[in-house]
């Protein structure tokens, strides 16, 4: 594993050299350290914290203060990975001034090195202003979970021609506005490939097929720590939820039977 600190410039070089980019989410110091030491390139402090950590049905209720808190925990742990702080719902859509202030909080108070926001062409002026102020921005197009109440479902996007063209235009707009990378979520693999070839910056896919410049998953999904829903694009690399339950049951049995603590665990 290379120990080169990952920066937005390194990510551009990785795209140029067809070196795939790994991304996972983290919300606390412990997990962030594990991901960083395992060599993950980008650690995203996602607003998915709302669903996988707070037990909410959607990400909509996540607040700016919560994102600053989680981002600060993660940033202190990451030595190599690029840390991206997610902008929660309505922290950047109301005005560009709001977006500047809130993105600034993720960098200044949260220690993030960049921010992510959802939206394509309509967000391009905001992205351009943030970039102009020295804040690297990752876009997020295709399925945008913060708009769940607008769309009414988490269905795949870009399946008809009009939506495909709109998403392609979103990608080009973010590229032109100066985003350093973009997440493309839940679109046909053919569209993931088309976008990856159409833009200069790295495309990080989640349910967008194998031809993107990199992939991202929610860590709790891929480790089997979250089971309330499981999109088809999630591959399970471990069943930590079951492992934890089994360890907890063993502990409870030992306590009930009086076999814990034993002599070596007593003073
Ligand atoms: O919030 C999040 O974790 C995300 C990823 C799914 C890309 O936006």
């Amino acid at each position: 594993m290379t120990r080169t600190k990952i920066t937005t410039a390194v990510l551009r070089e990785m795209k140029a050299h067809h070196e795939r980019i790994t991304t996972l989410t983290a919300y606390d110091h412990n997990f962030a350290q594990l991901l960083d030491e395992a060599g993950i390139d980008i650690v995203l402090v996602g607003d998915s914290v709302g669903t996988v950590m707070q037990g909410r049905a959607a990400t909509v209720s996540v607040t700016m203060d919560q994102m600053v808190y989680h981002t600060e925990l993660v940033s202190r742990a990451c030595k190599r990975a690029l840390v991206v702080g997610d902008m929660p719902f309505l922290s950047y859509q109301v005005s560009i001034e709001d977006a500047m202030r809130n993105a600034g909080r993720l960098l200044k108070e949260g220690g993030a090195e960049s921010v992510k926001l959802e939206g394509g062409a309509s967000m391009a002026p905001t992205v351009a202003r943030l970039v102009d102020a020295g804040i690297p921005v990752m876009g997020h197009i295709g399925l945008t979970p913060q708009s769940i109440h607008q769309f009414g479902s988490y269905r795949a996007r870009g399946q008809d021609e009009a939506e495909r063209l709109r998403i392609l235009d979103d990608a080009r707009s973010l590229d032109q506005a100066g985003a350093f990378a973009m997440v493309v979520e839940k679109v046909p693999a053919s569209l993931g490939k088309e976008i990856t070839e159409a833009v200069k910056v790295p495309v990080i896919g989640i349910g967008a097929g194998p031809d993107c410049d990199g992939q991202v998953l929610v860590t709790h999904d891929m480790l089997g720590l979250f089971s309330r829903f499981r999109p088809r694009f999630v591959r399970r690399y471990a069943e930590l939820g079951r492992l934890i339950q089994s360890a907890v049951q063993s502990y409870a049995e030992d306590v009930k039977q009086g076999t814990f603590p034993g002599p070596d665990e007593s003073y």
Side-chain angles (χ1 to χ4, degrees):
M1 184 195 67
T2 165
R3 294 305 301 173
T4 311
K5 168 74 188 128
I6 303 294
T7 61
T8 56
V10 170
L11 294 174
R12 265 196 308 275
E13 279 170 30
M14 288 172 80
K15 172 160 181 143
H17 293 105
H18 304 288
E19 189 185 337
R20 290 218 163 81
I21 298 164
T22 56
T23 306
L24 284 173
T25 61
Y27 318 100
D28 65 63
H29 193 270
N30 189 25
F31 262 78
Q33 193 166 17
L34 290 169
L35 302 187
D36 191 56
E37 288 176 357
I40 289 297
D41 299 316
I42 301 177
V43 173
L44 168 66
V45 191
D47 65 354
S48 49
V49 69
T51 47
V52 301
M53 299 284 288
Q54 298 175 342
R56 315 254 183 228
T59 58
V60 173
S61 61
V62 174
T63 68
M64 200 53 223
D65 284 347
Q66 289 166 356
M67 289 311 303
V68 169
Y69 169 74
H70 289 286
T71 303
E72 198 275 330
L73 302 180
V74 168
S75 299
R76 268 188 295 113
C78 290
K79 305 287 177 250
R80 174 183 175 272
L82 181 89
V83 176
V84 182
D86 216 355
M87 304 276 293
F89 182 56
L90 287 195
S91 68
Y92 56 95
Q93 295 96 331
V94 177
S95 68
I96 289 182
E97 288 70 23
D98 249 22
M100 293 277 264
R101 224 179 339 265
N102 287 322
R105 284 193 68 194
L106 287 176
L107 266 66
K108 291 178 73 160
E109 297 170 50
E113 297 160 310
S114 58
V115 302
K116 176 169 84 59
L117 53 80
E118 295 184 8
S122 65
M123 278 299 140
T126 305
V127 171
R129 277 293 296 281
L130 292 174
V131 171
D132 196 43
I135 302 175
V137 181
M138 172 183 267
H140 184 157
I141 56 174
L143 172 66
T144 48
Q146 291 176 10
S147 307
I148 178 62
H149 298 309
Q150 167 117 331
F151 291 107
S153 87
Y154 290 105
R155 70 165 173 81
R157 303 289 190 258
Q159 289 179 301
D160 65 55
E161 186 59 7
E163 206 169 61
R164 186 185 75 81
L165 290 174
R166 209 162 40 242
I167 295 172
L168 204 49
D169 180 55
D170 282 339
R172 290 200 172 104
S173 302
L174 289 173
D175 197 24
Q176 278 160 18
F180 75 88
M182 63 190 80
V183 167
V184 178
E185 181 163 354
K186 212 170 180 184
V187 300
S190 57
L191 180 53
K193 182 172 194 287
E194 205 176 349
I195 293 171
T196 304
E197 288 167 356
V199 299
K200 297 186 298 293
V201 298
V203 172
I204 312 296
I206 175 162
D211 295 308
C212 300
D213 300 302
Q215 299 290 330
V216 56
L217 282 177
V218 169
T219 298
H220 286 56
D221 286 340
M222 57 87 82
L223 293 181
L225 284 168
F226 178 79
S227 306
R228 215 159 4 103
F229 48 86
R230 179 174 165 190
R232 190 167 107 196
F233 59 69
V234 172
R235 183 180 293 181
R236 279 273 171 90
Y237 286 86
E239 292 294 346
L240 294 193
R242 279 199 223 138
L243 200 64
I244 289 171
Q245 276 182 336
S246 148
V248 168
Q249 279 161 359
S250 298
Y251 162 75
E253 267 169 40
D254 289 353
V255 171
K256 298 275 185 204
Q257 287 168 9
T259 59
F260 175 80
D264 292 350
E265 291 142 342
S266 302
Y267 298 90

